[in-house]
């Protein structure tokens, strides 16, 4: 009996501790509620890109006394562009409101000038986001030729923004610049660039073509597809509500009753449409470029080297990015090679693109010699039904992409292309002509 009081004290202490523990549990308890929120889905497909990664010149021409040198190699072009990144470019002003093709040719051919060629019109405002400008009040204008002129006797360098479509020229200058160092570097680089010929055409822009054959490589890849389900997760607001149904044997549809994504297995293409955002209102070209790049960046959708190639901001609100391989454009008759966007009310209305990638290691590479641009032009002039002097707008080397579905292979064959009526046409080997080239 002498320990009964001590036992009572221990029991009382335990009860007090238990009470405190229960009280703390009640105070800190937070029930879980079913919020019906969709699960978090990883929508990252490949990588993001900057504006300067998708807006690139396809050719550089260096004009000197008695000689024109040129290059289509991205590394050579970017070496010159990067040397301009340290410049502070001054105010852009209108230079000529109505310039003729002859005047444009003269501006390009004047000695001590370098000209960058762009596939599509680039708003000067967009160019201002890539380079440093002292004055950001840009004119509402665009260009597809950029001429860098160091022929002036002053210490500065002049820039000319040429728009060969609208026939306008804007100009600006760079004052605090190491002009001597820039000219020395560019002249040294021209020594490794092949000689180009200017093909003059009355009343038309000149064509600039290489004079020597180009050593190239024909590549073959195993077809590497990106699962369409990944694009479904990236493009629909709630992927868990999306239904999938086959359409025949060559297509698959995904829908959530507000948007539709159709996958075409034959052309390796998907087409996403959001009907609620359709609009016929014009959009500012600079906004269209920025919006389209940001849209693809939202799902890290740059799966290969795609470059800005075409724009229609007034009637179709449409922009194109062409697939490139080793710096050259890729075209195909049976496989999608473009990212195309149509924009509506503050968001994309239609999004068409390939769902394959060229990131795998190539197999079966084979050396191929591509004829010179001059030889190819001479061939085109011999075709009676093709009036090269008046109908061909441009000539470039590129790659022709073909598929062997039996072995899941992609082949990239170097070829010459010419631009006519807004479309690129291949000049391909004619197997029945003893190596002569024909049209395809």
């Amino acid at each position: 009996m002498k320990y009964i009081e001590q036992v009572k004290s221990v029991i009382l202490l335990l009860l007090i501790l238990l009470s405190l523990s229960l009280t703390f549990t009640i105070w800190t308890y937070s029930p879980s509620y079913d919020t019906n929120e969709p699960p978090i889905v990883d929508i990252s497909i490949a990588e993001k890109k900057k504006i300067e990664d998708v807006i690139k010149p396809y050719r550089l021409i260096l004009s000197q006394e008695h000689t024109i040198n040129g290059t289509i190699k991205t590394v050579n072009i970017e070496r010159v562009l990067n040397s301009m990144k340290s410049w502070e470019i001054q105010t852009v002003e209108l230079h000529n409101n109505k310039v003729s093709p002859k005047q444009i040719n003269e501006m390009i051919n004047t000695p001590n000038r370098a000209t960058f060629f762009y596939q599509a019109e680039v708003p000067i405002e967009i160019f201002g986001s890539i380079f440093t400008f002292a004055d950001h009040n840009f004119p509402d204008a665009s260009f597809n030729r950029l001429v860098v002129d160091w022929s002036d006797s002053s210490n500065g360098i002049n820039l000319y923004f040429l728009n060969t479509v609208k026939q306008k020229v804007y100009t600006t200058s760079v004052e605090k610049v190491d002009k001597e160092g820039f000219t020395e570097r560019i002249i040294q680089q021209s020594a490794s660039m092949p000689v180009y010929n200017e093909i003059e055409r009355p009343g038309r822009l000149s064509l600039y073509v290489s004079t020597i054959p180009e050593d190239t490589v024909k590549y073959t890849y195993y077809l590497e597809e990106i699962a369409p389900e990944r694009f479904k997760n990236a493009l629909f607001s709630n992927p868990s509500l999306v239904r999938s149904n086959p359409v025949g044997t060559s297509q698959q549809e995904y829908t959530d009753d507000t948007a539709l994504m159709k996958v075409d297995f034959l052309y390796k293409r998907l087409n996403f449409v959001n009907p609620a955002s359709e609009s016929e209102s014009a959009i500012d070209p600079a906004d269209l470029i920025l919006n389209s790049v940001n849209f693809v960046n939202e799902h890290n959708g740059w799966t290969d080297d795609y470059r800005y190639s075409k724009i229609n901001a007034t009637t179709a609100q449409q922009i194109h990015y062409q697939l490139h391989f080793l710096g050259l454009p890729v075209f195909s008759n049976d496989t999608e090679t473009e990212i195309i966007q149509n924009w509506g009310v503050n968001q994309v209305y239609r999004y068409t693109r390939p769902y394959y990638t060229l990131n795998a290691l190539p197999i079966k590479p084979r050396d191929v010699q591509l004829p010179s641009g001059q030889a190819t032009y001479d061939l085109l002039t011999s075709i009676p039904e093709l009036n090269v002097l008046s109908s061909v707008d441009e000539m470039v080397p590129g790659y022709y992409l073909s598929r062997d579905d039996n072995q899941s292979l992609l082949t990239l064959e170097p070829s010459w292309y010419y631009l006519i009526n807004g479309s690129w046409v291949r000049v391909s080997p004619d197997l029945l002509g003893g190596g002569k080239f024909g049209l395809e």
Side-chain angles (χ1 to χ4, degrees):
M1 297 295 294
K2 63 180 179 178
Y3 298 110
I4 191 168
E5 293 300 324
Q6 295 177 353
V7 172
K8 288 180 179 180
S9 297
V10 171
I11 294 173
L12 181 60
L13 177 61
L14 292 174
L15 290 173
I16 292 173
L17 293 174
L18 179 61
S19 176
L20 290 174
S21 175
L22 291 173
T23 302
F24 178 79
T25 301
I26 292 173
W27 285 351
T28 58
Y29 173 69
S30 178
S32 60
Y33 298 98
D34 184 8
T35 60
N36 293 320
E37 293 183 356
I40 298 175
V41 179
D42 181 14
I43 64 172
S44 177
I45 293 172
E47 63 180 13
K48 291 180 169 66
K49 289 196 174 181
K50 300 177 182 178
I51 291 292
E52 62 196 81
D53 297 326
V54 297
I55 297 184
K56 293 185 177 184
Y58 66 92
R59 179 190 293 131
L60 170 62
I61 292 293
L62 299 180
S63 300
Q64 302 178 75
E65 291 288 348
H66 313 300
T67 308
I68 296 178
N69 298 87
T71 183
I72 55 173
K73 295 183 178 179
T74 299
V75 62
N76 292 338
I77 296 173
E78 290 189 342
R79 188 177 293 121
V80 180
L81 283 175
N82 289 336
S83 69
M84 298 163 52
K85 292 289 183 71
S86 60
W87 295 357
E88 185 178 63
I89 304 172
Q90 302 304 305
T91 303
V92 179
E93 299 175 336
L94 181 64
H95 179 73
N96 191 327
N97 196 43
K98 187 67 175 179
V99 63
S100 68
K102 180 180 179 181
Q103 290 172 310
I104 292 175
N105 294 335
E106 291 173 349
M107 294 185 72
I108 294 173
N109 297 331
T110 299
N112 299 321
R113 289 184 174 182
T115 303
F116 298 93
F117 289 63
Y118 292 82
Q119 288 286 7
E121 298 175 54
V122 180
I124 295 178
E125 178 184 345
I126 291 294
F127 190 77
S129 68
I130 301 174
F131 291 86
T132 303
F133 280 75
D135 183 358
H136 287 269
N137 293 314
F138 300 110
D140 183 14
S142 59
F143 68 97
N144 58 1
R145 304 286 187 272
L146 173 63
V147 178
V148 181
D149 175 20
W150 61 92
S151 63
D152 197 303
S153 59
S154 67
N155 293 325
I157 291 178
N158 296 318
L159 302 181
Y160 296 97
F161 299 93
L162 280 62
N163 190 313
T164 64
V165 179
K166 298 182 174 65
Q167 295 183 283
K168 296 180 184 292
V169 180
Y170 285 78
T171 186
T172 184
S173 62
V174 185
E175 297 173 357
K176 298 177 182 178
V177 59
D178 180 11
K179 181 177 179 178
E180 183 177 350
F182 173 76
T183 56
E184 284 182 359
R185 288 192 298 272
I186 203 167
I187 290 174
Q188 288 176 358
Q189 182 166 328
S190 69
S192 62
M193 294 164 53
V195 173
Y196 269 51
N197 281 347
E198 177 196 8
I199 299 174
E200 299 182 58
R201 305 181 296 170
R204 297 293 307 275
L205 296 174
S206 293
L207 298 175
Y208 297 89
V209 295
S210 59
T211 59
I212 60 174
E214 185 81 17
D215 292 327
T216 59
V217 178
K218 180 179 180 180
Y219 292 94
T220 300
Y221 284 84
Y222 284 116
L223 176 62
E224 182 178 341
E225 296 185 0
I226 301 169
E229 287 281 332
R230 298 180 63 185
F231 287 99
K232 179 205 76 173
N233 294 336
L235 300 176
F236 288 91
S237 57
N238 192 341
S240 63
L241 300 179
V242 175
R243 303 182 303 277
S244 174
N245 297 292
V247 180
T249 59
S250 62
Q251 294 184 349
Q252 187 85 8
E253 284 187 351
Y254 297 81
T255 183
D256 62 356
D257 294 331
T258 61
L260 172 69
M261 186 178 81
K262 183 178 292 186
V263 179
D264 189 327
F265 302 130
L266 292 180
Y267 284 87
K268 305 303 175 185
R269 171 177 61 205
L270 63 85
N271 182 28
F272 174 81
V273 181
N274 184 11
S277 64
E278 184 178 11
S279 172
E280 296 182 355
S281 300
I283 184 172
D284 179 73
D287 290 339
L288 182 54
I289 292 173
L290 292 173
N291 290 343
S292 63
V293 172
N294 290 336
F295 172 75
V296 180
N297 280 342
E298 286 176 0
H299 53 275
N300 289 25
W302 300 106
T303 50
D304 286 290
D305 182 9
Y306 287 91
R307 301 186 184 182
Y308 171 61
S309 60
K310 190 185 301 184
I311 190 169
N312 181 347
T314 54
T315 59
Q317 303 85 43
Q318 187 179 78
I319 189 167
H320 295 237
Y321 295 91
Q322 183 72 47
L323 174 64
H324 281 65
F325 179 75
L326 298 180
L328 299 181
V330 177
F331 304 99
S332 179
N333 293 332
D334 57 14
T335 306
E336 184 62 72
T337 60
E338 286 185 290
I339 290 177
I340 306 172
Q341 297 180 36
N342 292 75
W343 274 73
V345 183
N346 299 323
Q347 58 183 323
V348 71
Y349 159 64
R350 185 185 300 273
Y351 177 42
T352 305
R353 61 160 301 143
Y355 63 90
Y356 62 88
T357 180
L358 301 176
N359 283 330
L361 292 175
I363 59 173
K364 303 178 182 178
R366 183 165 64 87
D367 292 337
V368 175
Q369 189 175 73
L370 198 63
S372 70
Q374 183 65 60
T376 305
Y377 174 81
D378 293 340
L379 166 70
L380 295 179
T381 59
S382 68
I383 301 173
E385 61 270 23
L386 180 64
N387 189 341
V388 182
L389 287 177
S390 62
S391 59
V392 172
D393 296 315
E394 181 61 288
M395 291 177 56
V396 298
Y399 283 95
Y400 175 70
L401 186 150
S402 59
R403 292 203 326 264
D404 180 350
D405 289 334
N406 292 328
Q407 301 183 66
S408 296
L409 296 177
L410 291 175
T411 299
L412 291 157
E413 182 178 358
S415 303
W416 273 99
Y417 285 86
Y418 64 90
L419 181 64
I420 183 170
N421 297 326
S423 298
W424 289 102
V425 180
R426 184 189 183 209
V427 183
S428 62
D430 185 349
L431 299 179
L432 301 178
K436 184 179 178 180
F437 278 67
L439 303 184
E440 181 173 279

